[in-house]
Amino acid sequence: MVRIFFVLLFMVSVAAVQAQRPGMLQRFPGGGGGGGQTSGPFKDTLLHRTGLEDSVTIVFRYLDTARFSTLDSSVNDFSKRWHLPWTHIFLGNTGSASRSLLFSPNMKPGWDHGMHAYDAYIPKIEETKFYNTTRPYSELSYVLGAQQEQSIGVLHTQNIRYNWNFAFNFRLINAPGIFRNQKTNHSNLNFNTWYTSPKKRYSIYFIAASNKIGATENGGIKSTAFLDSLPYFRERFSIPTNLGGTDAVQSGLLSNTINTGNRYTVNSFLVRQHYDLGKKDSVIVNDSTTNYLFYPRFRFQHTAQLSRYTFQYNDARVDAEGYQKLYGLTNLPSTFGLKDFWQVLTNEAAIYTFPDIKNPLQFFKAAAGHQQLNADFGTNEPGFTNIFLNGEYRNKTRNKKWDMELAGTFYLAGFNGGDYNVQASLKRLIGQKLGYLTLGFQNVNRTPSFIHDDRSNFKKFNLGATNFGKENTTIASAMYELPQFQLKIGAKYFLASNYIYFKNYTQAEQEATLFNLLQLQLEKQFHVGKHWNWYLEAYVQQTTANAPINVPLVFARSRFAFEGKFFRTLNISTGIEARYHTPYKADGFSPVLGQFFLQNDTTINNLPDVAAYLQFRIRSLSIFMRAENLNTFQVGSSTGFLNNNLATPLQPTPGYFLRVGIYWGFVN
């Protein structure tokens, strides 16, 4: 990481010096290297148009797609910029363990560590954005919440040359929490760069990502009765918790001390390079600029990815009473720790062919790969290997009426031999007034996550069975979109067998009976007036009887907002947002194992989460102000925002919470 830092510093310095030289501000044919006539969407004379010297045109694409997208500058939905999607609930503090209220089983074949409670705070490698920009661009963000909660973000990207870009992204979350022993401290660092040769035959992509998760765990409050007890009305931090002893609140932006809790680190490095064979077409010379046109026929690609995972739970101040209550364990030492370490090296070689020489969005892919897995559990563990095959067909037709994908992965041999993933999707434009119809299918057969393996150190607290068979899950889906009426209607049908779940703090179980779940979706925007809009997003979920999952029957979010553009530069959205779910038996959380578990004893009956917000953008400056959890206000023997909702039977969410965020993008 130190070497990567100095390489990054050198590249930034060189690019900054070059950006100061007028001669380096050449025309941008584009960036990306996705094949086709140019390597990006920019025109040759873009930078020389009058009045655009201080403006920027920026697009991005993901690693596995040639489609370019633009940055989202809308201000009507704060959840698009926040760490968690609106469908997630968290354990009472920003950065704490979270899960979706929508049924979402693990659909990844092959090796899996099993630690997913903090996945929402770890950006996925495949979601890394590769930018192409006409000028150096930066974005700074700062969000301040109650109790010194802070979130900081820094993004910078620029083209060193028209065919070479780099981007740097950093994010920090620090939240002491409202209740005792809730502190979180997360950081994410991502550096990526791409380069395409001038003649567009060779391209290389590089990603270096470092993610650190730090979360103090309290095991929930000892009783929800404390929420209504007079001594704790104003001093929520004084409510006794099951774990963490009498730790004081940890404040300060750089404080990351965790005496009782989880520390996860995920570091990844990826290099992908490919060379194309095809047809070289005409050369355009305009204002002394040469633009090579190249149409790929075949592509030879190699991808190498190295990932290192460390999962650690430590308790330096063991509360014997709490562990006996939650885990039924006694005679624990005064301090203990559990730790698993994994290193995964994956190499994949692939061949692409493009049937339509002028459509790089249509291709066949055939690939084979090898995966080397090395673990450290404190003993001499042998390495594991996997050999896998995968293939893919994609086609987005040039008339934009069809969008098709068929893909499959099969683990031929090794530790996860027999695992597979088969998926297909078909999207069709029915008509300009009739919208789009999308059909999807996916079937996954996967080995149980390694947390259920006897060799994991977490088996000291995971006391359940280990002789689990492979899980098999099928999803059939349909989605109808009618843009003319801002309407989406969708349905998903889940069919699961050998489903593995935790049934309490220490035991996992496998459901042998086949069960299903139907999930219906509705999204609609209603225009109530010239500047008034009502946004509705709703889900209905129904399972078969005795299925080992508990989800709310209805889960919805509604926003009623005054919106519009005023004075040419002011975009504003202000209104009320409410999120509601019907009563259900919410999952509990096992902090040592980092797992949500099924519980059938306590029904959560929350009031809707209500927030008032003011969000606006002036040119490149966006400001968000939100007064959250207004629903917790009560009048009685004690008046205030004291009627807390519950995320789990023992994990309350905060009362009134004011959050202010600033996002500023500027051209360097």
Side-chain angles (χ1 to χ4, degrees):
M1 293 303 296
V2 172
R3 294 176 181 174
I4 291 174
F5 171 78
F6 281 108
V7 172
L8 184 154
L9 182 62
F10 171 75
M11 295 179 68
V12 172
S13 301
V14 171
V17 171
Q18 291 179 334
Q20 302 303 317
R21 296 168 55 189
M24 295 304 297
L25 294 179
Q26 300 174 355
R27 304 164 185 81
F28 286 78
Q37 297 185 22
T38 67
S39 56
F42 297 147
K43 303 300 182 183
D44 290 335
T45 58
L46 180 63
L47 284 181
H48 292 270
R49 296 177 185 173
T50 303
L52 293 183
E53 289 79 3
D54 294 326
S55 64
V56 62
T57 300
I58 180 171
V59 295
F60 67 87
R61 51 166 292 196
Y62 298 106
L63 191 64
D64 288 319
T65 179
R67 304 177 189 178
F68 286 91
S69 302
T70 57
L71 296 178
D72 186 359
S73 60
S74 62
V75 293
N76 66 343
D77 189 357
F78 179 71
S79 67
K80 292 181 179 179
R81 293 181 178 265
W82 196 231
H83 313 294
L84 294 178
W86 74 268
T87 53
H88 274 228
I89 60 168
F90 61 101
L91 301 186
N93 187 34
T94 300
S96 59
S98 72
R99 66 180 181 89
S100 176
L101 283 181
L102 304 176
F103 181 56
S104 51
N106 191 331
M107 299 297 287
K108 177 185 175 183
W111 172 83
D112 177 69
H113 45 72
M115 303 295 198
H116 297 291
Y118 294 91
D119 278 1
Y121 309 104
I122 302 176
K124 298 178 182 178
I125 283 290
E126 58 269 24
E127 294 178 357
T128 299
K129 296 177 180 178
F130 289 90
Y131 295 93
N132 194 14
T133 175
T134 55
R135 293 182 65 85
Y137 175 80
S138 300
E139 182 178 273
L140 304 178
S141 65
Y142 181 72
V143 181
L144 178 66
Q147 299 295 325
Q148 301 183 44
E149 175 187 300
Q150 298 176 81
S151 177
I152 297 174
V154 178
L155 165 67
H156 178 77
T157 181
Q158 70 181 77
N159 278 47
I160 300 174
R161 295 199 63 188
Y162 71 89
N163 57 342
W164 184 12
N165 174 278
F166 77 89
F168 171 82
N169 202 335
F170 174 76
R171 185 178 70 180
L172 174 68
I173 303 174
N174 187 281
I178 303 297
F179 295 88
R180 180 179 294 174
N181 310 318
Q182 276 191 328
K183 176 181 171 59
T184 59
N185 187 280
H186 307 332
S187 65
N188 311 109
L189 176 63
N190 182 295
F191 171 78
N192 67 80
T193 183
W194 63 259
Y195 170 81
T196 298
S197 64
K199 295 186 179 181
K200 303 181 178 68
R201 290 182 179 270
Y202 173 78
S203 295
I204 184 171
Y205 303 85
F206 173 75
I207 302 173
S210 176
N211 305 282
K212 296 182 179 180
I213 300 296
T216 300
E217 306 287 0
N218 61 20
I221 60 177
K222 290 191 173 182
S223 172
T224 55
F226 287 116
L227 295 172
D228 300 320
S229 299
L230 187 60
Y232 305 110
F233 275 147
R234 305 296 179 186
E235 295 293 336
R236 295 306 205 191
F237 181 75
S238 300
I239 295 178
T241 57
N242 288 307
L243 301 179
T246 57
D247 282 356
V249 65
Q250 297 284 349
S251 61
L253 180 62
L254 300 179
S255 174
N256 59 4
T257 301
I258 295 178
N259 293 314
T260 302
N262 287 298
R263 285 187 179 277
Y264 298 168
T265 60
V266 179
N267 298 323
S268 297
F269 306 89
L270 181 144
V271 177
R272 170 173 291 179
Q273 49 189 331
H274 62 73
Y275 187 83
D276 293 344
L277 299 178
K279 178 181 178 182
K280 182 175 66 173
D281 207 333
S282 60
V283 176
I284 299 175
V285 179
N286 182 19
D287 292 338
S288 302
T289 298
T290 302
N291 188 19
Y292 294 93
L293 304 182
F294 181 75
Y295 303 96
R297 274 296 193 184
F298 295 95
R299 172 172 296 169
F300 300 93
Q301 177 177 285
H302 175 257
T303 303
Q305 181 174 347
L306 175 65
S307 298
R308 293 180 175 181
Y309 305 86
T310 302
F311 304 102
Q312 189 171 2
Y313 179 88
N314 289 316
D315 195 340
R317 301 175 182 177
V318 171
D319 187 332
E321 180 183 351
Y323 284 103
Q324 183 175 7
K325 174 185 175 181
L326 301 182
Y327 294 92
L329 298 176
T330 57
N331 300 321
L332 289 174
S334 58
T335 177
F336 74 91
L338 305 174
K339 181 180 179 180
D340 278 2
F341 171 81
W342 285 92
Q343 177 172 286
V344 182
L345 176 62
T346 304
N347 280 278
E348 180 190 87
I351 299 177
Y352 291 76
T353 179
F354 300 88
D356 186 345
I357 196 170
K358 293 188 177 181
N359 183 11
L361 299 180
Q362 180 184 9
F363 64 81
F364 290 93
K365 172 190 174 184
H370 176 269
Q371 189 175 60
Q372 179 67 41
L373 304 160
N374 294 309
D376 183 1
F377 309 129
T379 58
N380 293 324
E381 290 294 333
F384 310 99
T385 60
N386 279 317
I387 297 176
F388 61 89
L389 305 173
N390 68 55
E392 184 175 0
Y393 171 70
R394 289 189 194 179
N395 183 15
K396 183 175 179 66
T397 58
R398 285 191 286 175
N399 60 12
K400 300 182 180 180
K401 290 185 176 182
W402 292 93
D403 194 348
M404 297 171 279
E405 180 179 359
L406 177 64
T409 300
F410 179 69
Y411 282 77
L412 191 64
F415 181 70
N416 299 105
D419 285 16
Y420 66 80
N421 172 35
V422 177
Q423 63 186 67
S425 68
L426 176 64
K427 186 175 183 179
R428 165 66 175 173
L429 174 63
I430 304 174
Q432 295 299 328
K433 295 184 178 181
L434 296 178
Y436 298 86
L437 177 64
T438 304
L439 301 176
F441 173 85
Q442 185 177 11
N443 177 249
V444 171
N445 196 62
R446 61 181 302 273
T447 303
S449 299
F450 202 86
I451 192 173
H452 303 295
D453 194 290
D454 286 333
R455 288 165 287 191
S456 170
N457 281 317
F458 287 89
K459 282 299 295 180
K460 297 174 183 177
F461 276 73
N462 182 7
L463 307 177
T466 59
N467 57 337
F468 296 140
K470 291 182 182 291
E471 295 180 281
N472 190 281
T473 307
T474 300
I475 303 177
S477 63
M479 174 71 73
Y480 176 62
E481 303 174 60
L482 192 56
Q484 184 178 0
F485 293 96
Q486 291 86 41
L487 173 67
K488 288 184 181 180
I489 301 175
K492 285 185 178 180
Y493 179 77
F494 298 83
L495 190 65
S497 64
N498 286 340
Y499 181 73
I500 299 174
Y501 64 97
F502 277 84
K503 63 179 181 179
N504 53 41
Y505 284 91
T506 61
Q507 293 178 303
E509 193 166 293
Q510 187 165 47
E511 177 61 42
T513 305
L514 186 72
F515 70 90
N516 60 63
L517 179 144
L518 178 63
Q519 185 181 96
L520 304 178
Q521 174 187 358
L522 169 67
E523 294 184 22
K524 180 70 173 81
Q525 178 182 349
F526 299 91
H527 296 285
V528 183
K530 181 179 179 181
H531 293 291
W532 294 93
N533 290 301
W534 175 30
Y535 300 90
L536 176 64
E537 301 161 273
Y539 293 87
V540 176
Q541 302 177 103
Q542 181 64 58
T543 66
T544 52
N546 301 319
I549 53 175
N550 289 326
V551 291
L553 176 63
V554 178
F555 179 41
R557 180 177 69 153
S558 179
R559 290 172 289 147
F560 191 76
F562 175 83
E563 298 176 328
K565 183 175 182 179
F566 306 93
F567 309 110
R568 294 186 179 181
T569 59
L570 174 62
N571 288 271
I572 188 170
S573 177
T574 181
I576 298 292
E577 176 181 317
R579 188 179 70 160
Y580 171 74
H581 62 75
T582 51
Y584 79 113
K585 294 180 172 62
D587 288 352
F589 182 69
S590 176
V592 178
L593 299 177
Q595 304 293 323
F596 287 93
F597 64 85
L598 183 73
Q599 65 87 24
N600 290 307
D601 299 324
T602 304
T603 298
I604 302 296
N605 191 359
N606 288 335
L607 293 173
D609 297 317
V610 179
Y613 63 88
L614 170 62
Q615 303 165 179
F616 62 90
R617 177 170 60 88
I618 303 175
R619 296 187 184 276
S620 61
L621 176 66
S622 299
I623 296 179
F624 297 78
M625 292 183 286
R626 292 174 57 88
E628 301 179 351
N629 301 323
L630 300 178
N631 51 283
T632 61
F633 183 77
Q634 68 178 22
V635 178
S637 57
S638 184
T639 301
F641 296 92
L642 305 171
N643 187 23
N644 300 74
N645 280 339
L646 295 174
T648 77
L650 295 176
Q651 303 273 6
T653 58
Y656 172 75
F657 202 91
L658 179 63
R659 184 174 280 121
V660 179
I662 299 175
Y663 296 81
W664 179 32
F666 55 93
V667 181
N668 299 87

